[in-house]
Amino acid sequence: MNKVQMDRIRTGKGFIAALDQSGGSTPKALLQYGIKEDNYSNEEEMFNLVHDMRKRIITSPEFTSEYILGAILFENTMDRTINNQFTADYLWEKKGIVPFLKVDKGLAAIENGVQLMKPIPDLDNLLKRAVEKNIFGTKMRSVIKEANYEGIKKVVGQQFDIGKQIIEAGLVPIIEPEVDIHSPDKEESEKILIYEIFNQLSSLGQDEKVMLKLSIPTKDNFFSDLVNDSHIARVVALSGGYTQSEANERLARNQGLIASFSRALSQGLTAQQTGEEFNAMLSNSIKAIYAWHQLHSGSTGASLLFK
């Protein structure tokens, strides 16, 4: 673990940029960027185009550590280079932005009211490669649909079992057991979730750290004890489907959360824009996100992940 990067994650200002669209969501991301499916004929061409998009964002003079704390990458992006450096090295050495890697392979079918993660084949090798490419941490997502104790226990158990494997490899896991905001018993799910999270945190070694990415809680400041736990590096909130205005209102009442943005960051960017137009649009998005973050973080520390 890079201790300088850990200090930045624990105390730094800014938000996390989610640049981790994978195979299934890549065509949609390219379409929003102005590139239709008939512009590529195979997966390799598709990933070349999406890497060009991500490279254009990352190398923009507007994409800086003044506003951005970390960036979550897809495996394909980790393995590629930007200006003759691997992406994670470029992010940290040229931009001062902490690199993360998405490691999950999607969600299994609903069982016991939850969706566990699908198996992650050859995870040890992926983590080894991540360490070699100077990745700081990882991200993985599960979903909770209802307040089923056995289901939620399995979700949290799976997240922490894999999380411990990630810690053992020298990386910091982002644990993401998302509670569906449309669940009729969302608040009850959150009570079970926080109980199980604390059970798992108690099994960690004194110096072992994780991050959490959680849906905005139904009860204000329900995650305060998690934010202050010694095993938690930072807590990130996700909107999970709330409108931007409703999410902002809810998060303004919560303390200690940091932001991560994906669609909100790249909104309005297209391949057809000139460099000047692209950078101006990206600058507007980044500064608007950061301004909102600062507005609500002065007293509450709250902000948000928009998917």
Side-chain angles (χ1 to χ4, degrees), residues 43 162 293:
E43 190 175 79
I162 297 174
H293 176 271

Side-chain angles (χ1 to χ4, degrees), residues 19 33 47-61 63 73 77 80-85 87 90-91 95 278-279 282:
L19 303 173
Y33 185 56
F47 283 130
N48 286 340
L49 288 168
V50 82
H51 184 66
D52 287 343
M53 177 185 74
R54 290 166 178 156
K55 181 166 64 175
R56 197 178 185 194
I57 292 172
I58 291 169
T59 58
S60 169
F63 194 86
L73 308 175
T77 308
R80 292 175 182 257
T81 61
I82 296 177
N83 294 354
N84 298 316
Q85 287 185 286
T87 305
Y90 183 89
L91 278 167
K95 297 284 188 168
F278 182 93
N279 290 332
L282 183 61

Side-chain angles (χ1 to χ4, degrees), residues 56 268-284:
R56 197 178 185 194
L269 301 177
T270 69
Q272 294 75 29
Q273 289 168 331
T274 66
E276 184 176 348
E277 292 168 339
F278 182 93
N279 290 332
M281 178 64 71
L282 183 61
S283 176
N284 288 340

Side-chain angles (χ1 to χ4, degrees), residues 244-261:
Q244 183 170 340
S245 60
E246 183 178 2
N248 287 352
E249 181 182 345
R250 287 173 177 270
L251 282 161
R253 303 194 301 266
N254 283 269
Q255 295 181 346
L257 309 181
I258 68 167
S260 179
F261 295 83

Side-chain angles (χ1 to χ4, degrees), residues 75 112 140 163 188 196 235:
E75 181 182 350
N112 292 326
M140 50 190 178
E188 186 61 29
E196 290 301 321
V235 180

